[in-house]
Amino acid sequence: MRLVIAALLSVATAALASAPKSPDVATEYLTATMDDPIARLQKRLASGDVKLRYEPQGGYLKSLLRELNILSTSQMLVFSKTSLQFDLIAPETPRALYFNESCWVGFVQGGRVLELMAQDPVYGAVFYTLAQSPNQLKFTRQTYECLQCHQSPLTQGVPGHVMRSLYVRADGRPDLSAGSKVTTDESPFEERWGGWYVTGTHGKQRHLGNEIARGGDGQARLDTEAGANITDLHAKFDTTAYLTPNSDIVALLVAEHQGHLQNLLTRASYLVRDSLSDEEQLNTALKETGRRESTTRRIHSACEPLVKGLFYSGEAPLKAKVTGTTPFARQFPLQGPLDSNGRSLRDLDLKTRLARYPLSWTIYSPSFDALPKEARDYLARRLGEVLSGKDTTPEFAHLTADDRKNIREILAATKPGLTIQ
C-alpha cells in the first residue's frame, strides 16, 4: 500500500491509470470490498433482514441511527458550509452530526441525502450517501468529492476524519483568509469549535463556538464571551427541527479524540503495509530473506505517533470542569467493555482531562485488531514499556502510578487477546 494517494484527489480517471498498480491504495481503496457498518447494513437491507423506516420529518434519520446503534445525544451541530449540501447549511439551519465508534451520520434540513462516514478496519474512512426518498433505499458510495478534504494533509494523508474550527460568516461561509484549525484532543481549548454550536458549561475557558464572525476579510473576529457557557440554543435557531436541542460539548470532546486516533490507526496501517510490501519486493529482487533493519525502523516510525495518541500524550489539559447538556456523558461509558469493578477506558474525567484512565478506547476498535501483526507486536511492546514505567520520557510523564496500574488491570480484563510485553 502507498500512503500518498494523490490519484484520489483528482477526478480524472487518467490519474488512476498512471498510478502504481500492485499493491496500491489508490486502486485498492476504490475497488476493494469494504467491511464497514454501512457496507454490512446494505447487505442486510438487500436480503430483507432489515428495513429502514422513512418519516416525514428527518426521513430515514431516526431509523438509521437505531440500526447503527448511534446515540441521538451524540448530536453535534455545525453551521459552516463545509459539506456536500453546503447550499442548505447556515447558522439558522446547521448540519447535525451523530456518531459512534465506527460510523458518522450527517443530517441537513431539507437535504437530498443523509451523509455517512463509516470506518473500514483496513482502509479507513469510507463515504456514502442515502437518498432521503421513501422510494429509494440504497447507500451510494462517494469518493472523489469527499476525499478532497477527507484524504489530505488535514487527515494525515489517509482517508479519515476532519473536524475544523473556522471563522464563519452570517451566511455560513467560512472566512478562510482568517485561518482555520484542524481540531483534535491536542488543540488548545481556545482554538476549538469555530463554526459549531456548543452547549454546556466550561468555566472560565473560552472557545470559538456559537458566534458569527464579524470584520473584514482576513480580520474576522468572534465574541468568545457571548459564546461561552451556553446551555440553550433556541435563541440562535429553531431547535425543534432536530432530534435534540443540543450540541453537547462532551460529545464534541469525545469525537475529536476518537477521530484523531482513528486517523492515526489508519496511517499506521498504511505505512506498515507499505514497508512490508517494499521489503518483500526488495528481498525477491535480491533473492534474500528476513527482516531488514530499514523495515524495522519504518514500522517503529509509523507506530510511535499512535502510541503517543493512545496515551493522550499531546492532549491539551482542561482548565475547568466541563459539563454537557445531555445524558451523553453518562451513556458513553456504558458502551463498555467494563471490568468486574465497572471500570472502562470510556470512563470520562472532564475536570482536567478527557478520560479518567488515559488509554484510548480506540484500542478496542476493529481498526486496532486489523493492524498488521508487526504493528501489533510493536504496540504491545511499547504498551508494556510505558505501563511498567520503564519508559520515562516526557511524553508519558502525565501518567501516574495509579494510572498505569488501573490501565493494566482494565486491559487485562477487557482485552484479553492483547498480550502486553
Side-chain angles (χ1 to χ4, degrees):
M1 292 184 177
R2 289 288 174 268
L3 176 63
V4 179
I5 333 175
L8 288 174
L9 298 181
S10 170
V11 298
T13 304
L16 282 175
S18 65
K21 296 300 180 190
S22 178
D24 176 67
V25 168
T27 300
E28 289 187 20
Y29 182 86
L30 293 178
T31 60
T33 299
M34 295 297 177
D35 183 26
D36 62 66
I38 299 301
R40 294 194 295 271
L41 178 57
Q42 182 65 73
K43 292 179 181 178
R44 296 173 65 202
L45 287 168
S47 67
D49 291 341
V50 172
K51 293 184 179 180
L52 296 181
R53 180 183 176 186
Y54 182 89
E55 301 180 40
Q57 183 171 347
Y60 290 112
L61 177 61
K62 287 184 181 180
S63 182
L64 183 60
L65 294 184
R66 282 194 298 269
E67 194 60 42
L68 294 171
N69 196 29
I70 296 177
L71 297 169
S72 62
T73 54
S74 70
Q75 177 178 285
M76 303 173 293
L77 299 171
V78 54
F79 56 85
S80 62
K81 292 183 180 294
T82 50
S83 87
L84 292 175
Q85 302 176 98
F86 63 89
D87 55 315
L88 299 173
I89 300 169
E92 61 273 15
T93 53
R95 177 169 58 131
L97 297 173
Y98 307 85
F99 73 98
N100 63 13
E101 68 281 353
S102 57
C103 200
W104 290 54
V105 177
F107 166 78
V108 177
Q109 283 192 58
R112 302 168 295 279
V113 297
L114 292 175
E115 304 166 4
L116 304 114
M117 178 172 63
Q119 192 75 10
D120 179 86
V122 173
Y123 295 99
V126 189
F127 304 89
Y128 300 88
T129 55
L130 175 63
Q132 286 280 59
S133 168
N135 301 316
Q136 182 179 357
L137 184 53
K138 182 179 179 181
F139 296 100
T140 302
R141 188 169 167 197
Q142 306 293 330
T143 52
Y144 300 110
E145 189 169 0
C146 293
L147 290 169
Q148 290 180 45
C149 291
H150 286 276
Q151 191 272 307
S152 70
L154 300 175
T155 64
Q156 304 189 51
V158 296
H161 301 252
V162 180
M163 292 183 71
R164 296 176 72 184
S165 183
L166 300 155
Y167 291 87
V168 178
R169 301 292 187 184
D171 62 359
R173 296 182 184 277
D175 180 0
L176 296 178
S177 64
S180 69
K181 300 285 185 181
V182 174
T183 305
T184 72
D185 59 355
E186 299 181 358
S187 302
F189 199 90
E190 60 270 18
E191 293 182 357
R192 302 187 190 196
W193 307 320
W196 297 73
Y197 287 117
V198 184
T199 57
T201 57
H202 43 82
K204 294 183 179 179
Q205 300 172 108
R206 294 294 178 265
H207 57 74
L208 302 178
N210 293 323
E211 291 298 305
I212 303 301
R214 308 190 186 282
D217 289 347
Q219 303 297 319
R221 295 293 181 267
L222 293 163
D223 186 347
T224 57
E225 288 298 322
N229 294 301
I230 287 179
T231 58
D232 189 337
L233 294 171
H234 78 277
K236 302 284 186 181
F237 61 94
D238 179 10
T239 60
T240 63
Y242 299 87
L243 298 186
T244 86
N246 303 283
S247 184
D248 195 297
I249 190 172
V250 179
L252 285 159
L253 291 170
V254 167
E256 289 161 354
H257 166 76
Q258 181 173 285
H260 177 51
L261 264 292
Q262 286 174 329
N263 288 352
L264 289 175
L265 282 161
T266 302
R267 176 182 178 273
S269 177
Y270 282 0
L271 287 174
V272 171
R273 293 172 199 277
D274 277 354
S275 66
L276 296 174
S277 175
D278 289 348
E279 179 183 71
E280 181 181 5
Q281 293 179 46
L282 185 57
N283 281 346
T284 299
L286 298 177
K287 297 183 167 67
E288 296 178 352
T289 60
R291 177 55 25 85
R292 293 180 172 275
E293 183 180 348
S294 60
T295 304
T296 299
R297 289 197 303 269
R298 290 175 67 182
I299 291 171
H300 294 186
S301 177
C303 292
E304 193 59 25
L306 176 56
V307 174
K308 295 174 182 176
L310 285 168
F311 281 109
Y312 298 83
S313 293
E315 181 184 21
L318 298 174
K319 298 176 183 178
K321 182 180 179 181
V322 169
T323 304
T325 53
T326 76
F328 179 83
R330 298 192 303 273
Q331 295 168 335
F332 178 73
L334 298 179
Q335 295 175 326
L338 310 176
D339 71 4
S340 60
N341 294 315
R343 296 177 300 181
S344 169
L345 294 179
R346 292 177 182 267
D347 287 347
L348 301 175
D349 176 74
L350 302 178
K351 299 180 183 70
T352 62
R353 61 192 185 190
L354 176 61
R356 182 175 181 183
Y357 307 110
L359 180 70
S360 177
W361 62 86
T362 57
I363 199 168
Y364 299 126
S365 68
S367 297
F368 184 93
D369 294 337
L371 288 169
K373 180 180 183 301
E374 292 79 0
R376 286 183 281 110
D377 288 346
Y378 176 82
L379 292 168
R381 176 172 65 80
R382 290 293 288 123
L383 285 167
E385 291 171 349
V386 174
L387 292 175
S388 68
K390 180 179 179 181
D391 188 325
T392 59
T393 54
E395 288 84 356
F396 308 103
H398 62 291
L399 297 169
T400 66
D402 281 344
D403 286 336
R404 292 186 172 93
K405 176 177 178 292
N406 289 327
I407 291 169
R408 288 188 74 101
E409 291 173 352
I410 294 170
L411 274 181
T414 60
K415 197 169 177 65
L418 177 65
T419 303
I420 298 177
Q421 302 174 11

